[in-house]
Amino acid sequence: MRYRFALAFTALLLTGCDGMPRDAAGTTEGIERTHTMRVTVLPGTPDVRPALALLDSYARKHDARVTLVAIHGEHAHKALEDGEIDALIGHFAKASPWQADISLSKPVARGEPDDKHRPVLRIARRNGENALILATDRLVAESAQ
Amino acid sequence: MSLHSGIPAAIEADVRRGERLEWWTLLWIGSVVVVMALVMGASQAMKSAVIEDVLSLIPAIVFLLSVHWERKHANSRFPFGYRRANSLAFLVAATALLAVGGFLAYESVTTLLRQEHPTVGGITLFGHTIWLGWLMMAALVYSVIPPLILGRIKQPVAKRINDKVLHTDALMQKADWQTGLAAIAGITGIGLGWWWADASAALFIALSIIKDAVGALRQAVAELLDGTPRALDSNEIADDAKALIAALKARFGDGEVRLRETGRYIAAEVDCAPPAAVPTAAELMGDKAWRLASLSFRPE
């Protein structure tokens, strides 16, 4: 029984590892299907340009374009959690109270500040959308170099 | 060896082997905890696995403490010695096992109910950003190996020295490697976009751990309530206890025979006048003579 489980698990791993990780709610597929990446920029984000450029480069790789969606304040976080938008750009601290509800990237175009309560430019993604999260994490890391 | 103190020569070597195995357990599982904590990230499955590993050190620690106390001599404050430290350690180990199972079940059920989508992102190492899930899986593969080996080595030793703490620890090691495999399946599930796979696998393992823990707790309570000695791996009366009851009844008539367990040792009481020649432990229990710590007679 145990060996059968191990065999089945290994087979699953080998067939699945090619495209890992994937999105739990299919955000990447949605972007590819609609050719649109829905992005909201939180008010009070004057230095949004590098983050937008980064998402634009991601969208183009997936044959899509970034579309800005205007949503106010806290509704933006909820919209991201509910999958109404694909990414949210704003200033977030490393110790943000939203940390558990959304996936925050490392700071865009700069290093992590020493003060974990200091908000800096980051991209927030919907939890569980691991393909999108890894891809954008890679772009953020490249932009920091 | 005095009647109520020390470890019989017949099992001393195996007890020392058990101690060595527990020190190895502390070392290896300690290293597993460190490795897992380094790649834990924000994964709930990994957090659960780390907490489970930390809790799994409890049986090893209480085994070492109980053997230390078992070697102490009886004194005026503890005239029956400290052998029952093993019974107390067994209760603690069984409770730890139940805590691990309960914790994993709670975490899994709440994750499923909240429909939490676990996030495992990238980590940048030497200029390359890779999926953290691969590192987690590598750490989990490492976490599976020591308990798989140690648990298998401990089982025959536990049987030879009739140590329920060591046996419960072997069960804990089983829980450890099974949780590790479940967590690998869970991380793979996250990678495939199946948010529920992680918690479902953990819940399946948690229920199996709880079943083992409840069995161990029933035995521990029976031991502390002076119940007839139970088998190492179930709540059934132990075979050697059944054989001892039969041997005592055969020699001393059909009077009442009561056995109770003090740690790994058996105390027997027979309702009859003390005989002129008291049989030796070897006559009554053969190879397991060391188990019979006392035999007393209670005239009507």
Side-chain angles (χ1 to χ4, degrees), chain B residues 164-183:
Chain B
K164 288 172 182 160
V165 186
L166 197 59
H167 183 260
T168 307
D169 190 36
L171 286 181
M172 186 67 100
Q173 312 277 259
K174 191 174 106 185
D176 264 356
W177 68 256
Q178 287 185 342
T179 310
L181 285 187

Side-chain angles (χ1 to χ4, degrees), chain B residues 17-35:
Chain B
R17 184 166 163 72
E19 285 179 291
R20 280 197 299 276
L21 284 170
E22 294 300 39
W23 281 114
W24 278 113
T25 301
L26 293 182
L27 185 76
W28 281 109
I29 306 297
S31 76
V32 165
V33 170
V34 172
V35 169

Side-chain angles (χ1 to χ4, degrees), chain B residues 11-195:
Chain B
I11 57 166
E12 178 64 41
D14 276 327
V15 171
R16 287 206 180 278
R17 184 166 163 72
E19 285 179 291
R20 280 197 299 276
L21 284 170
E22 294 300 39
W23 281 114
W24 278 113
T25 301
L26 293 182
L27 185 76
W28 281 109
I29 306 297
S31 76
V32 165
V33 170
V34 172
V35 169
M36 301 257 286
L38 286 175
V39 297
M40 187 165 69
S43 159
Q44 197 57 50
M46 289 293 285
K47 269 183 200 161
S48 302
V50 172
I51 293 171
E52 197 266 337
D53 279 331
V54 172
L55 282 173
S56 76
L57 295 173
I58 293 174
I61 294 168
V62 293
F63 173 84
L64 290 168
L65 285 173
S66 74
V67 170
H68 169 75
W69 283 85
E70 196 175 329
R71 287 203 176 93
K72 284 169 79 88
H73 290 289
N75 53 51
S76 57
R77 286 170 66 82
F78 290 92
F80 293 97
Y82 296 86
R83 285 178 164 177
R84 194 159 272 190
N86 183 275
S87 310
L88 190 59
F90 181 34
L91 182 71
V92 173
T95 308
L97 193 62
L98 185 66
V100 167
F103 171 78
L104 282 178
Y106 172 78
E107 288 288 324
S108 316
V109 169
T110 50
T111 302
L112 286 171
L113 287 178
R114 288 185 200 145
Q115 301 192 8
E116 283 173 18
H117 291 196
T119 294
V120 178
I123 182 169
T124 304
L125 292 172
F126 311 112
H128 294 279
T129 304
I130 58 164
W131 187 46
L132 185 58
W134 297 123
L135 281 188
M136 287 177 174
M137 280 195 244
L140 284 164
V141 166
Y142 172 63
S143 84
V144 162
I145 296 166
L148 191 63
I149 296 169
L150 287 166
R152 286 196 176 242
I153 300 174
K154 278 174 195 173
Q155 271 175 346
V157 179
K159 203 170 177 183
R160 285 200 295 274
I161 62 176
N162 211 83
D163 198 303
K164 288 172 182 160
V165 186
L166 197 59
H167 183 260
T168 307
D169 190 36
L171 286 181
M172 186 67 100
Q173 312 277 259
K174 191 174 106 185
D176 264 356
W177 68 256
Q178 287 185 342
T179 310
L181 285 187
I184 293 173
I187 301 293
T188 309
I190 292 173
L192 294 173
W194 304 337
W195 66 268

Side-chain angles (χ1 to χ4, degrees), chain B residues 83-84 86-87 90 161-164 219-232 234 236-238 240-241 258-268 290-291 293:
Chain B
R83 285 178 164 177
R84 194 159 272 190
N86 183 275
S87 310
F90 181 34
I161 62 176
N162 211 83
D163 198 303
K164 288 172 182 160
Q219 285 174 273
V221 169
E223 196 172 315
L224 287 169
L225 292 182
D226 284 343
T228 307
R230 303 299 206 262
L232 203 61
S234 78
E236 299 299 312
I237 306 296
D240 56 0
R258 282 178 292 276
L259 305 185
R260 65 185 165 84
E261 215 166 11
T262 300
R264 69 183 93 247
Y265 307 97
I266 294 176
W290 61 267
R291 277 257 277 165

Side-chain angles (χ1 to χ4, degrees), chain A residues 2-3 5 9 12-13 15-25 102-103 106 126-131 133-134 137-139 141-142 145, chain B residues 117-124 127-132 134 137 148 152 174 177-178 181-182 184-188 190-195:
Chain A
R2 209 176 284 162
Y3 298 109
F5 171 76
F9 176 72
L12 179 76
L13 195 63
T15 52
C17 68
D18 190 33
M20 281 182 22
R22 294 181 193 155
D23 295 331
I102 52 180
S103 170
K106 288 194 177 301
R126 189 183 182 193
N127 269 347
E129 302 309 273
N130 293 310
I133 290 168
L134 178 62
D137 277 351
R138 281 189 174 136
L139 292 171
E142 282 166 18
Q145 281 168 7
Chain B
H117 291 196
T119 294
V120 178
I123 182 169
T124 304
H128 294 279
T129 304
I130 58 164
W131 187 46
L132 185 58
W134 297 123
M137 280 195 244
L148 191 63
R152 286 196 176 242
K174 191 174 106 185
W177 68 256
Q178 287 185 342
L181 285 187
I184 293 173
I187 301 293
T188 309
I190 292 173
L192 294 173
W194 304 337
W195 66 268

